[in-house]
Amino acid sequence: AQTVTQSQPEMSVQEAETVTLSCTYDTSENNYYLFWYKQPPSRQMILVIRQEAYKQQNATENRFSVNFQKAAKSFSLKISDSQLGDTAMYFCAFMKIRSGNTPLVFGKGTRLSVIA
Amino acid sequence: DAGVTQSPTHLIKTRGQHVTLRCSPISGHKSVSWYQQVLGQGPQFIFQYYEKEERGRGNFPDRFSARQFPNYSSELNVNALLLGDSALYLCASSPNAGQLSNQPQHFGDGTRLSIL
């Protein structure tokens, strides 16, 4: 079974600074997706960024980027130029690539507070 | 286009009752998944349906059941409610299931279920 671990329950960062959220996972699969989802108090789960395991290049979406280390099974999220609107719960998630049942496996989340 | 819509947004029930939660996927999406998110935790997979067939079930008791209709909308039913069923229930849709698609799951705002 796959497991996802987020070791930082809470983090804070000053507005305009950079913060990195950690995520490690355990799997015997070779092909899979990794995701970071953001859940603000409005509670909708919003996709932030996605990484395909077969791609060596780290994914980037505007101020969000990942450091994907497949051998180490590590998938950290870097938020640059932090904004007040980035305040939310952040969940790391894993999904196998195959037909049929492919649920997301989530970590317990990191609560990020951006301070003005 | 409308996103994933869930109803109701909030629900209060008492122990022993049953509940039906509803989800309408994004237009064109054929796969619907249900997740339970207990306060302070990441979402846990309950069911995945694709083309009206159950494709996967998480580690939940038989009190939990679901179905998908010809228009791809879905219902989650929970019988004999327990206090521990209090949670945010999230529905997610994607165009296909697993390997057939490289599109991530899109989540609705969830139904907050409180058991008294």
Side-chain angles (χ1 to χ4, degrees):
Chain A
Q2 286 66 231
T3 59
V4 176
T5 302
Q6 294 179 249
S7 59
Q8 305 152 316
E10 293 189 28
M11 293 193 71
S12 62
V13 62
Q14 292 287 334
E15 196 175 7
E17 296 296 312
T18 295
V19 64
T20 298
L21 308 184
S22 300
C23 172
T24 58
Y25 58 94
D26 188 24
T27 184
S28 59
E29 300 283 327
N30 190 46
N31 290 323
Y32 47 87
Y33 292 126
L34 293 164
F35 304 88
W36 279 97
Y37 279 90
K38 168 186 177 181
Q39 189 177 41
S42 64
R43 78 194 188 195
Q44 184 182 28
M45 198 73 74
I46 301 166
L47 178 66
V48 174
I49 198 165
R50 174 182 63 179
Q51 175 79 40
E52 290 90 344
Y54 57 86
K55 290 186 177 180
Q56 292 186 339
Q57 186 173 5
N58 289 324
T60 299
E61 288 287 342
N62 301 313
R63 298 182 295 107
F64 300 88
S65 62
V66 299
N67 183 6
F68 173 50
Q69 302 290 328
K70 189 173 183 179
K73 296 180 181 175
S74 171
F75 183 61
S76 61
L77 174 70
K78 186 172 80 172
I79 306 174
S80 304
D81 185 25
S82 297
Q83 301 175 1
L84 296 177
D86 295 333
T87 294
M89 285 291 294
Y90 285 82
F91 292 96
C92 178
F94 170 100
M95 185 173 78
K96 290 188 285 188
I97 297 179
R98 64 177 174 88
S99 59
N101 178 27
T102 54
L104 287 163
V105 178
F106 287 88
K108 291 188 175 182
T110 296
R111 183 176 302 280
L112 177 67
S113 298
V114 180
I115 303 166
Chain B
D1 284 344
V4 178
T5 57
Q6 293 187 243
S7 63
T9 54
H10 293 89
L11 202 51
I12 299 175
K13 293 285 189 178
T14 57
R15 284 177 294 176
Q17 287 188 311
H18 70 273
V19 67
T20 298
L21 310 181
R22 295 177 175 83
C23 172
S24 293
I26 292 172
S27 178
H29 285 195
K30 299 179 179 179
S31 178
V32 170
S33 298
W34 287 95
Y35 293 82
Q36 179 196 65
Q37 186 178 17
V38 174
L39 192 63
Q41 301 291 319
Q44 295 288 317
F45 171 70
I46 310 175
F47 286 108
Q48 182 180 37
Y49 276 77
Y50 175 64
E51 288 283 14
K52 301 180 289 295
E53 292 186 0
E54 182 183 304
R55 288 300 187 94
R57 171 189 285 257
N59 189 24
F60 280 81
D62 292 343
R63 299 184 297 107
F64 288 77
S65 64
R67 55 179 175 169
Q68 187 177 33
F69 298 98
N71 66 353
Y72 304 109
S73 66
S74 178
E75 285 182 353
L76 175 70
N77 295 283
V78 187
N79 294 324
L81 288 166
L82 303 174
L83 293 177
D85 296 332
S86 294
L88 179 67
Y89 288 84
L90 295 165
C91 174
S93 77
S94 59
N96 293 302
Q99 191 176 5
L100 300 177
S101 168
N102 63 356
Q103 296 298 315
Q105 297 185 21
H106 298 266
F107 285 82
D109 288 346
T111 294
R112 174 75 65 190
L113 175 63
S114 299
I115 310 301
L116 303 179

